[in-house]
Amino acid sequence: MPELLPPQLVVNCRMMFLSYLPAEPEAIDRALPADLGLTPVESRAAVLVHYVVDRDDQTSGFGAYSLSYICFDVVGHDADAETPGRWFSHYFISSPRVRDYAIERGIPATDGVTRLEFEGDTLVATATVDGRPLIRSRARTGGEVGEITGGQLMVLSALDGRVMRNRHAVIMERARDFEMQSIEFLDPDHPIHPFRPREPLELVFGFHAPRASFCYPGGIEAG
């Protein structure tokens, strides 16, 4: 297979995007590397994203894969006036090829499989690691698109002791209806458990995108 070089394009993946307030906000302070000068936003908001790329022909070189990742909103690395930069914390991906591409860019990628499946009008996202369900998110939603939005995301990683700013151009076709039901972190012994949502769930922002497209990454800038 040819070498993977940035940027890589992904089109029309299926996605659930969730920003929420964590049960243990102080855990986010501990998770951000002190030597890199990263500061969480005051709310300590966390972001959980599940997505599935169903077919090889939806990418410019990655092939089909699935991914769930957790990141934290941080100060001073905004993608734009409305979108904070986010620090990658955990990154569970099904494709060894894409995993290695991410690791080369400082992203903490490990193995995992994500499924997005409808149960009636409820979309269930399940991230499985080492053969066991680790995260399960449920939302009442549908496939009818309500709006199309475009923009950029800035996600941060660390490479050779430096912050790397991974800029992603995105286009999201968001479902008209979206009602979050639950986000469950299923293994109390896993390192992600402190980042579980508080109870009752406080969702900052969320959506289901039946079709989401983006460059991965669009560019890499030293922080």
Side-chain angles (χ1 to χ4, degrees):
M1 290 182 126
E3 180 183 2
L4 286 176
L5 298 172
Q8 291 290 322
L9 180 63
V10 175
V11 298
N12 296 334
C13 74
R14 299 179 291 119
M15 177 181 291
M16 186 189 290
F17 181 104
L18 309 166
S19 175
Y20 64 89
L21 299 184
E24 300 181 38
E26 67 279 2
I28 291 180
D29 294 3
R30 296 193 298 267
L32 293 172
D35 58 335
L36 296 180
L38 297 176
T39 302
V41 299
E42 185 176 357
S43 69
R44 302 306 195 268
V47 169
L48 169 63
V49 176
H50 307 282
Y51 74 81
V52 175
V53 181
D54 293 292
R55 305 186 316 274
D56 291 350
D57 62 10
Q58 291 174 247
T59 76
S60 57
F62 283 159
Y65 69 99
S66 64
L67 171 63
S68 290
Y69 68 80
I70 300 169
C71 54
F72 310 130
D73 290 357
V74 297
V75 175
H77 295 275
D78 296 353
D80 55 42
E82 298 180 351
T83 310
R86 296 178 173 120
W87 168 259
F88 276 127
S89 170
H90 290 79
Y91 197 92
F92 306 110
I93 191 160
S94 66
S95 165
R97 180 168 167 80
V98 186
R99 180 199 60 206
D100 293 347
Y101 178 92
I103 290 171
E104 289 173 359
R105 286 150 183 84
I107 297 170
T110 56
D111 295 334
V113 174
T114 294
R115 298 188 183 280
L116 281 172
E117 301 171 317
F118 273 99
E119 297 178 356
D121 64 354
T122 298
L123 181 62
V124 182
T126 305
T128 298
V129 175
D130 295 329
R132 299 172 59 187
L134 181 64
I135 308 170
R136 182 174 292 118
S137 305
R138 296 176 180 269
R140 188 171 291 113
T141 186
E144 182 180 357
V145 173
E147 64 175 342
I148 301 174
T149 60
Q152 293 192 337
L153 301 178
M154 182 71 77
V155 283
L156 310 176
S157 59
L159 191 64
D160 299 328
R162 297 186 302 160
V163 173
M164 302 306 295
R165 295 157 52 93
N166 303 271
R167 186 175 290 273
H168 298 236
V170 300
I171 298 174
M172 303 289 185
E173 299 183 40
R174 298 182 187 173
R176 183 182 304 279
D177 300 316
F178 186 81
E179 180 187 349
M180 200 65 216
Q181 295 179 313
S182 63
I183 304 172
E184 300 173 276
F185 282 40
L186 300 169
D187 183 352
D189 296 323
H190 195 279
I192 68 166
H193 196 67
F195 312 134
R196 69 196 183 280
R198 65 180 59 174
E199 296 181 1
L201 174 64
E202 293 188 43
L203 195 69
V204 177
F205 179 66
F207 62 86
H208 161 224
R211 289 173 297 279
S213 302
F214 48 88
C215 282
Y216 182 119
I220 300 178
E221 311 163 7

